[in-house]
Amino acid sequence: MIEEYILQHLQEQAKLKSYLASYNGLPAVFLNTTPSELDPAWDEERHFSQLILHLAMQDDPQRQAKSRLTVEVLSEKNSQPEYALIDAVRESLDGWFFAEAKKVISAQWMSMESIEGKTIVTFQVTEYQDQTLFAENPAALLSEWSKEHLPEILGTPCYLLGRNDVTLQRAFKPSEEKPAIYWRLYKTGKCETFKGGSGTLWRSGIICGHIIVPGNSARADAIAIFLEHALLRESRIEGNGSFVLIGESQGLDLTQSPAQTGQLTVEAIYPITADKPACEKLQHVSVAMKERE
């Protein structure tokens, strides 16, 4: 489904339409294969230029960006507009996000090469998983807090990724005026600060914050610094009947990829309520009664 959103997005780009042939009344952008030249759906005898999309998604728990989106650019030989078309393809995909239920991906320019007379443009694809799938997830709580407070704190609206947010557009590109924010639970461990009380277990989680402003890393870095200070001042994040304590910031690494690794790392200490035993407690049992047994 998300491949179809990418296809529709490209067909809607006015800059691409002037370079592409027309098929069935739409710009010639296809998934995986191209129609036969004899197909009557071609609007004219001109079949070039065309774009063929291939999206290969791989399970990537280490966020090493193994997924790829490739675009085959099919143009007439020695066609001068090919280079302008490639630039238009890059502009239409680099830094763009595509969203469907419980999945958001982004595309970043990676490479271009000529193979067997056609040009292959490759984009690196990064996925932003739905953090709300997991119960008692401190990253999900930070997402809810961000939804309510970040627009006021930053003075600008935000795209909040990983929340299964149906309000996200199918295709969008974050900007300086509307950055993208993603909270990711990296790992959990034993909490050394608090010990378990009656019916409560304490855990420590490492959460990565991704602040994404394509083409403006300085703006993304500034927001990351501002966000770190805001969390440290807040110290306790509440919502949905639970809370997390911001233990300490693990620091900022502004050399890291905002899409893959994230620039901000914080420790979140949070409680887990222990389940009550399913059996009923015995009452009014005396030592004498036990001895008679």
Side-chain angles (χ1 to χ4, degrees):
M1 179 66 75
I2 207 160
E3 299 98 320
E4 295 178 2
Y5 293 164
I6 298 173
L7 183 147
Q8 293 169 11
H9 166 71
L10 291 178
Q11 289 178 332
E12 293 169 356
Q13 300 307 299
K15 201 167 186 179
L16 286 174
K17 290 181 181 179
S18 60
Y19 299 113
L20 298 176
S22 183
Y23 178 82
N24 203 21
L26 295 171
V29 185
F30 308 104
L31 290 176
N32 301 318
T33 59
T34 183
S36 165
E37 292 185 6
L38 301 177
D39 192 318
W42 289 104
D43 291 357
E44 301 174 358
E45 292 183 1
R46 184 172 74 94
H47 298 159
F48 295 99
S49 294
Q50 307 173 26
L51 302 179
I52 308 176
L53 309 180
H54 306 275
L55 179 62
M57 298 293 296
Q58 295 188 35
D59 189 31
D60 189 11
Q62 298 301 318
R63 297 183 68 79
Q64 296 174 344
K66 298 177 181 177
S67 300
R68 299 283 187 271
L69 171 65
T70 58
V71 183
E72 293 183 43
V73 181
L74 306 182
S75 298
E76 295 177 317
K77 292 182 180 179
N78 302 319
S79 172
Q80 283 296 114
E82 180 183 16
Y83 301 102
L85 172 57
I86 291 171
D87 286 341
V89 169
R90 178 171 184 167
E91 185 178 321
S92 300
L93 290 175
D94 187 27
W96 281 82
F97 285 66
F98 302 92
E100 66 175 0
K102 298 183 180 179
K103 180 188 289 187
V104 178
I105 66 170
S106 67
Q108 295 84 41
W109 172 270
M110 188 174 178
S111 64
M112 179 188 74
E113 58 183 333
S114 295
I115 302 175
E116 298 178 354
K118 58 187 176 184
T119 302
I120 307 295
V121 182
T122 304
F123 294 86
Q124 178 179 291
V125 172
T126 306
E127 184 174 354
Y128 306 86
Q129 295 181 347
D130 180 9
Q131 294 289 329
T132 62
L133 289 174
F134 310 103
E136 296 177 310
N137 183 343
L141 195 58
L142 278 181
S143 292
E144 292 301 320
W145 173 82
S146 299
K147 177 184 177 183
E148 183 176 354
H149 297 286
L150 276 194
E152 181 180 353
I153 291 174
L154 299 178
T156 183
C158 306
Y159 293 108
L160 291 172
L161 313 176
R163 295 183 55 258
N164 188 20
D165 190 348
V166 296
T167 65
L168 286 177
Q169 301 164 274
R170 289 182 177 181
F172 60 92
K173 186 174 183 179
S175 64
E176 183 175 341
E177 293 75 25
K178 193 173 183 180
I181 310 290
Y182 179 55
W183 295 107
R184 176 172 59 91
L185 181 60
Y186 176 59
K187 65 179 179 180
T188 64
K190 181 180 179 181
C191 178
E192 301 293 345
T193 306
F194 299 103
K195 302 301 180 182
S198 177
T200 302
L201 305 172
W202 289 92
R203 299 291 288 171
S204 175
I206 302 299
I207 300 177
C208 297
H210 302 247
I211 299 88
I212 306 168
V213 185
N216 194 334
S217 59
R219 171 65 171 164
D221 293 348
I223 293 175
I225 295 171
F226 195 77
L227 191 52
E228 178 192 36
H229 295 170
L231 284 173
L232 292 174
R233 285 193 297 267
E234 193 79 14
S235 74
R236 177 184 172 110
I237 307 297
E238 299 186 26
N240 294 333
S242 185
F243 68 91
V244 298
L245 304 174
I246 304 302
E248 63 178 79
S249 170
Q250 303 290 313
L252 290 163
D253 188 345
L254 303 180
T255 66
Q256 294 297 314
S257 165
Q260 291 172 254
T261 311
Q263 312 96 314
L264 171 61
T265 305
V266 295
E267 179 190 16
I269 300 169
Y270 60 102
I272 298 176
T273 303
D275 292 335
K276 295 181 179 179
C279 59
E280 294 184 7
K281 294 181 180 179
L282 295 177
Q283 297 181 354
H284 310 301
V285 177
S286 66
V287 175
M289 291 173 66
K290 289 185 176 180
E291 290 177 350
R292 284 200 296 271
E293 295 178 356

